[in-house]
Amino acid sequence: MDDLYRDYILEHYRRPHNFGVIDAPTATYEGANPLCGDRITMQLGVTNGVVERVGFTGRGCAISQASASLLTDEIKGKPLVEVTKLRVDDVLDLLGIEISPARLKCATLSLDTVQHAIADDPPGGGAPNATRAAAAETDA
Amino acid sequence: MTLTSEPGVADGAVLPAVRAGALDAYAIRDEFPILSREVHGHRVVYLDSASTSQKPRAVIEAVDAFYREYNANVHRGIYEFGERSTNAYERARVEVARFINAPDSHELIFTRNATEAINLVAYSWGRRNIGRGDAIVLTEMEHHANLVPWQILVQERDGDLEFIPITDDGLLRLDVYEVLLRVKPKLVAFTHVSNTLGTINPVREMVDMAHAAGALVLIDGAQAVPHVPVDVQSLGADFYAFSGHKMLAPMGSGALWARRELLEAMPPFLGGGEMIREVHLRRSDFNDIPWKFEAGTPAVADAVGLGAAAQYLRGLGMDHVRDHERDLLAYALDVLPREVPGIELYGPLDVDQRGGVVPFNLPGIHPHDVAQVLDRFGIAVRAGHHCTMPLHERLELAATARASFNVYSTRDDIDALVAGLRQVQTIFEG
Ligand SMILES: Cc1ncc(COP(=O)(O)O)c(C=O)c1O
């Protein structure tokens, strides 16, 4: 279990990649995990069906921040159709650590948020800059 | 009905855990089997008692004895086990009623937990007494258990909710409360002790103010009954709800106390067996209190365990329990800021106005990560919003970590927490 906070996870947490807002995003979505108070806003700049630019902002635990950092690296330059196919296991592979069920939501918040952003703004349609909070259904 | 003696602490027995008028927490620790376990190779440092408490041998044995020696349904069987079971159940009621100094044990209703006790009042009393435009006054520091049932009620009945705000230190703004009472609320409902900040609210004063304004008062005592002496008569409350599992008793035990005339005037909560006197095809006569509110087969063994827990705590003396936890709180509030650089602490600074609850944050480190790393060292703290999301919003905090104490907590536990938090900082700041 000491493997959870590996150096590269902490490195992504301290200096996340793709952190910040991007110019003229084609899709924006704010995802939240009310259980732990994590909040992430994902912005995508999609051109010709390819995620050319991506940025995220927000606060959360090391696992959710590292996962957003790794995921944004992963999807940058990828065709949208491939991004929509990403599954929870892909994110866990990117993280490369054992995630307990209690922390699964932290690990997958970034993917959920990206997928909501895409669903809200399908390629070739949808309003740019549509921001909506993802209200998760869970409570303690 | 004769009340035969079931396992527990004999009246007047002096427990080894009380010496020279103070609790010996180390001796008490030995009475909680789970605390001698190891977690990840470390001794257990259980600092999440506000969530649920651990159970002493006296309680575990009382539950065990029920199932091994006399398990039977209550108020039914005309045979040895049934009589013993009924006796033990009703004896537990007397014990628990006595623990909060209820004037009449029939005013004490067994529930599954504080949440169910509050919902009982919201559904049964609330539906009959709250109508269009009627106000209920709550506070910004309520646990969701004392918020959501009232939201549901006023949505259904077209009533209103008003909230007493808090100061940045986590004290209720009584000056605003005074003004809110001018809307002539039907009910004021608030927590005796905050589960998040530890604030001990001035119940008596607030009850008097409510009564003067013509409102009834419900107190959420989930964090009070386990930690401070509670006397429902001197508090002057109308309804008092609490959980057993936070006061050393089994999960699934809890209680509602209310004044007899209120309970008698209230319609039943759930319908079924046990709560009736006579049933006809189209109508029924309801049983007397408290059974009117205890439909179906109750959690008898858990109630017996709750009685044993009340007896155990009475043996320790709630004044001693309170003194012990105030000492621990003072110690924690002293060492944490000195030994853990940058730690942010929340809640009242005056230990006389606060129970053994210590919410905190380490700057730049999410409480989930704090809790996860502490777990490596066998230290259990809660991380999140502790079922008080509006309070966290008010304090502009996404989440906090929380250490909380009980009778078995020791200074060693706090020292372990300090050492653990420094490890967290090393890992994250390294
Ligand atoms: C102040 C307060 N009220 C109510 C509750 C609800 O208790 P239960 O979950 O046992 O119903 C809690 C438990 O956390 C609490 O701390």
Side-chain angles (χ1 to χ4, degrees):
Chain A
M1 80 142 293
D2 273 29
D3 283 350
L4 195 52
Y5 298 104
R6 290 198 189 153
D7 285 346
Y8 67 90
I9 297 286
L10 290 171
E11 198 45 43
H12 276 282
Y13 175 53
R14 292 193 197 108
R15 278 175 281 280
H17 302 178
N18 311 304
F19 192 88
V21 293
I22 62 171
D23 285 337
T26 57
T28 300
Y29 198 86
E30 183 185 24
N33 181 353
L35 262 189
C36 41
D38 290 353
R39 261 176 202 285
I40 282 182
T41 300
M42 280 281 176
Q43 295 187 312
L44 306 180
V46 180
T47 316
N48 298 327
V50 173
V51 179
E52 298 256 299
R53 295 164 301 126
V54 55
F56 79 96
T57 51
R59 302 240 275 149
C61 65
I63 307 303
S64 76
Q65 293 282 295
S67 115
S69 175
L70 288 156
L71 180 71
T72 47
D73 272 353
E74 174 73 11
I75 67 176
K76 197 153 51 171
K78 272 219 159 75
L80 212 47
V81 283
E82 281 185 36
V83 175
T84 55
K85 285 189 196 138
L86 287 174
R87 316 225 66 82
V88 168
D89 267 337
D90 298 318
V91 178
L92 298 186
D93 285 347
L94 287 175
L95 282 166
I97 47 177
E98 282 285 328
I99 297 286
S100 68
R103 301 299 297 275
L104 197 58
K105 276 195 181 287
C106 312
T108 58
L109 175 63
S110 56
L111 179 64
D112 290 346
T113 309
V114 164
Q115 285 174 340
H116 270 112
I118 294 171
D120 266 20
D121 295 83
N129 279 325
T131 306
R132 214 160 305 156
E137 315 74 30
T138 48
D139 193 6
Chain B
M1 173 193 328
T2 52
L3 298 182
T4 57
S5 173
E6 297 300 345
V9 184
D11 274 2
V14 178
L15 298 166
V18 189
R19 288 213 188 85
L23 289 196
D24 179 350
Y26 294 91
I28 291 177
R29 224 184 130 83
D30 289 342
E31 294 172 6
F32 289 72
I34 203 172
L35 297 179
S36 61
R37 291 180 61 89
E38 285 199 347
V39 172
H40 306 312
H42 297 268
R43 89 179 175 90
V44 180
V45 176
Y46 185 74
L47 289 171
D48 195 18
S49 289
S51 190
T52 196
S53 66
Q54 298 302 345
K55 322 302 176 200
R57 216 168 272 120
V59 168
I60 297 169
E61 284 168 4
V63 174
D64 190 68
F66 173 84
Y67 286 120
R68 283 179 192 280
E69 296 170 18
Y70 58 98
N71 174 56
N73 216 324
V74 287
H75 306 134
R76 290 169 178 78
I78 308 179
Y79 46 81
E80 171 70 12
F81 292 169
E83 268 174 32
R84 277 191 70 187
S85 167
T86 304
N87 281 349
Y89 183 64
E90 293 305 331
R91 190 167 178 269
R93 191 190 310 279
V94 171
E95 188 62 54
V96 176
R98 173 174 176 186
F99 189 63
I100 58 168
N101 198 30
D104 174 353
S105 70
H106 287 179
E107 295 174 341
L108 192 115
I109 297 155
F110 283 125
T111 63
R112 274 188 308 140
N113 46 40
T115 302
E116 188 176 273
I118 295 167
N119 274 276
L120 190 161
V121 178
Y123 279 85
S124 178
W125 178 87
R127 282 192 177 154
R128 178 145 301 179
N129 290 282
I130 297 296
R132 176 185 294 267
D134 286 340
I136 298 174
V137 171
L138 308 173
T139 83
E140 281 180 350
M141 65 167 75
E142 294 315 306
H143 187 280
H144 299 165
N146 195 30
L147 171 59
V148 181
W150 307 118
Q151 291 174 344
I152 293 172
L153 176 69
V154 298
Q155 270 160 28
E156 189 184 308
R157 311 290 303 170
D158 216 2
D160 291 319
L161 296 181
E162 303 292 343
F163 296 90
I164 307 172
I166 59 166
T167 65
D168 290 342
D169 275 355
L171 299 175
L172 291 177
R173 291 275 309 270
L174 295 191
D175 56 333
V176 180
Y177 175 43
E178 202 175 343
V179 176
L180 290 178
L181 287 173
R182 287 186 205 139
V183 304
K184 296 280 168 213
K186 286 271 173 75
L187 181 74
V188 177
F190 60 92
T191 191
H192 190 157
V193 176
S194 161
N195 71 314
T196 303
L197 300 171
T199 317
I200 301 176
N201 288 316
V203 174
R204 178 75 224 202
E205 183 183 352
M206 292 176 67
V207 167
D208 287 345
M209 288 166 73
H211 285 168
L216 292 180
V217 182
L218 176 139
I219 312 284
D220 173 356
Q223 297 293 346
V225 179
H227 305 293
V228 298
V230 169
D231 176 337
V232 291
Q233 294 185 67
S234 74
L235 291 173
D238 300 294
F239 302 99
Y240 198 98
F242 57 103
S243 294
H245 69 93
K246 294 178 199 283
M247 55 173 284
L248 317 183
M251 295 275 191
S253 63
L256 171 72
W257 170 84
R259 286 193 291 110
R260 171 179 279 277
E261 61 271 28
L262 290 170
L263 291 174
E264 282 177 344
M266 277 157 60
F269 175 40
L270 302 173
E274 188 81 24
M275 51 79 68
I276 36 72
R277 180 175 300 119
E278 241 180 68
V279 176
H280 310 279
L281 279 180
R282 299 206 182 269
R283 64 166 187 87
S284 301
D285 289 338
F286 302 127
N287 205 337
D288 292 333
I289 64 165
W291 306 286
K292 180 169 91 175
F293 294 103
E294 292 181 355
T297 299
V300 183
D302 300 327
V304 169
L306 177 54
Q311 217 167 10
Y312 179 86
L313 285 170
R314 191 158 53 79
L316 295 181
M318 288 310 292
D319 286 326
H320 296 147
V321 169
R322 168 64 184 146
D323 288 348
H324 170 65
E325 292 177 12
R326 184 177 32 214
D327 277 358
L328 286 178
L329 176 68
Y331 182 69
L333 295 183
D334 177 45
V335 296
L336 283 168
R338 281 197 287 115
E339 309 273 337
V340 183
I343 191 171
E344 287 169 7
L345 297 170
Y346 315 103
L349 296 172
D350 177 1
V351 295
D352 287 330
Q353 292 186 63
R354 176 163 170 183
V357 179
V358 183
F360 63 92
N361 265 317
L362 298 182
I365 310 176
H366 193 282
H368 265 189
D369 295 319
V370 173
Q372 186 101 54
V373 174
L374 288 177
D375 174 62
R376 288 183 192 180
F377 304 103
I379 304 168
V381 299
R382 176 98 184 256
H385 54 61
H386 324 306
C387 293
T388 53
M389 289 177 93
L391 176 60
H392 277 77
E393 237 171 71
R394 158 65 182 81
L395 297 172
E396 291 175 20
L397 297 166
T400 49
R402 178 189 71 184
S404 52
F405 314 135
N406 209 310
V407 291
Y408 42 72
S409 306
T410 63
R411 289 191 175 204
D412 288 352
D413 293 341
I414 295 166
D415 293 341
L417 175 66
V418 166
L421 290 174
R422 299 189 62 145
Q423 294 281 347
V424 175
Q425 291 182 319
T426 305
I427 289 170
F428 278 85
E429 283 153 21

